[in-house]
Amino acid sequence: MPTAIVSSPFAGRLNRTDQVMLQVILALIPGTLAMVWYFGWGVLINMALASFFALACEALAMKLRGRPVLPAIGDLSALVTALLFAVAVPPTLPWWMTLIGIVFAIIVVKQLYGGLGYNPFNPAMAGYVFLLVSYPLAMTTWLAPNIPEILEAHHLVTLSFLDSARLIFTGALPPHVAWDAMSAATPLDEMFSKLDQNATIPEILASPLWGEYGGRGWEWIGNWFLLGGLYMIWRGVITWRIPVAVLAGLLIPAGMFWLVDPQAFPFPAFHIFAGGTILGAFFIATDPVTACTTPRGQLVYGAAIGLIILAIRHWGGYPDAVAFAVLLMNIAAPTIDYYTQPRVFGHGRREKT
């Protein structure tokens, strides 16, 4: 009986763009559901709008370039960009700002550089930063998390699906409800604005907004995005190096500052669970196009992102800082790769020119 002879490797792997992107989308589900739970239907409306705009921009760009449209749409890269953008922006962002951010991300940052694989910057974060610089008020206005103790303590209300849709599409608030009755400072805003007012860490943490490690609601969103990130490592979509290096680059110096003066510097876990750190470390910094590719380079790249996040949070004007840190290191990624090339087996180290 003839036997088939095949060569290694025998284990299958994800080697198609659409397969990789599909795994990223699956990994986003737990964190997204947590965001919907705590911040309402606006999250899903933003995701639907961003996805529609991103696919339309991708199709238009490919049509204008004379390239086939369906393969570009089918690789799901534009959809992933849209979803990452949507979970980073506030759930009440007006629809036209979502459109502007996505046009900038897909047309300017991705397609004008040649499309997928040629963009030097992460498109989702570039679109986010473009909006943050252009419309800082809308981009920093977040709803209060849907937690009864917080809502009752601050006399806040939540939005229904119709209220969220009306606010996003028309800008109209629900009847007899003002912005102050819906919105609340993010944990990062609360922490660093109060520190600027010379409040101590124990005084700040006395607010019902705070949980065990970060802001209530926010810390659980971070946990669920962490679950999705671990799933991507298990599936081989990303390696552990960049996420671990980002977290270490943020936690180690934050821990040193905290040990020196715990009254003026937040405990290290706060930086992980109070903003977009987990999302950035696992889903954004690991972008295979704009991140470093060498093993040592990925560690350097990730650690630098963590350090920049900490520096901007403490001494900059944007408390979250993840998007700025990723974009700054996108610039440096080719140089880091150049100086961290692994040695070829049997050869000495190549002289750098």
Side-chain angles (χ1 to χ4, degrees):
M1 178 178 174
T3 304
I5 300 175
V6 295
S7 59
S8 60
F10 301 107
R13 56 176 301 180
L14 299 171
N15 57 4
R16 284 192 358 225
T17 303
D18 60 335
Q19 291 177 328
V20 172
M21 296 298 169
L22 181 59
Q23 294 301 313
V24 176
I25 293 170
L26 292 175
L28 277 170
I29 291 175
T32 301
L33 292 178
M35 286 197 70
V36 174
W37 176 266
Y38 286 111
F39 293 110
W41 294 100
V43 177
L44 289 182
I45 296 173
N46 279 348
M47 295 179 86
L49 283 173
S51 300
F52 174 76
F53 293 147
L55 295 177
C57 288
E58 186 90 342
L60 176 63
M62 299 308 290
K63 197 73 175 175
L64 293 174
R65 294 174 60 194
R67 304 288 182 85
V69 172
L70 289 181
I73 299 295
D75 68 17
L76 304 180
S77 61
L79 186 59
V80 168
T81 296
L83 297 178
L84 291 175
F85 173 88
V87 295
V89 300
T92 57
L93 193 71
W95 69 270
W96 56 272
M97 289 190 192
T98 300
L99 173 61
I100 291 174
I102 288 296
V103 168
F104 186 80
I106 299 294
I107 300 293
V108 178
V109 178
K110 182 180 178 182
Q111 292 297 339
L112 291 187
Y113 281 95
L116 182 64
Y118 297 96
N119 50 291
F121 301 103
N122 183 295
M125 289 301 96
Y128 172 86
V129 167
F130 178 75
L131 289 183
L132 184 61
V133 173
S134 304
Y135 310 101
L137 179 60
M139 287 291 288
T140 54
T141 301
W142 280 82
L143 299 176
N146 184 18
I147 297 174
E149 292 87 345
I150 295 177
L151 299 177
E152 292 173 6
H154 296 273
H155 307 290
L156 298 170
V157 299
T158 57
L159 298 181
S160 66
F161 177 82
L162 290 178
D163 289 337
S164 298
R166 183 166 50 234
L167 183 58
I168 289 171
F169 286 103
T170 70
L173 297 173
H176 311 298
V177 176
W179 269 111
D180 291 345
M182 302 184 300
S183 60
T186 65
L188 290 166
D189 282 328
E190 178 83 0
M191 174 65 73
F192 292 107
S193 63
K194 293 288 180 62
L195 285 175
D196 289 340
Q197 298 167 12
N198 296 321
T200 63
I201 299 292
E203 290 172 345
I204 298 171
L205 298 184
S207 166
L209 291 171
W210 297 97
E212 297 294 328
Y213 303 107
R216 296 180 68 183
W218 292 87
E219 56 190 1
W220 276 106
I221 291 172
N223 283 331
W224 287 110
F225 277 127
L226 175 61
L227 181 66
L230 296 176
Y231 169 78
M232 288 197 296
I233 293 176
W234 173 63
R235 292 288 290 148
V237 176
I238 61 174
T239 70
W240 59 270
R241 293 184 186 86
I242 291 178
V244 169
V246 171
L247 300 183
L250 180 57
L251 281 176
I252 293 173
M256 295 170 63
F257 284 122
W258 178 67
L259 288 174
V260 171
D261 189 355
Q263 300 293 316
F265 293 94
F267 45 96
F270 164 82
H271 288 283
I272 304 298
F273 294 102
T277 305
I278 297 290
L279 178 69
F282 285 89
F283 289 89
I284 296 169
T286 53
D287 178 6
V289 175
T290 57
C292 284
T293 56
T294 65
R296 284 190 299 141
Q298 290 177 341
L299 294 175
V300 173
Y301 172 84
I305 289 176
L307 281 171
I308 295 172
I309 292 172
L310 183 68
I312 296 178
R313 283 182 178 178
H314 275 292
W315 300 287
Y318 295 96
D320 194 51
V322 172
F324 288 100
V326 170
L327 294 180
L328 287 172
M329 289 311 299
N330 285 165
I331 302 172
T335 303
I336 296 173
D337 273 343
Y338 178 79
Y339 284 103
T340 55
Q341 290 293 320
R343 183 170 63 88
V344 177
F345 182 75
H347 293 261
R349 294 195 177 279
R350 185 164 61 93
E351 293 292 333
K352 302 298 183 184
T353 58

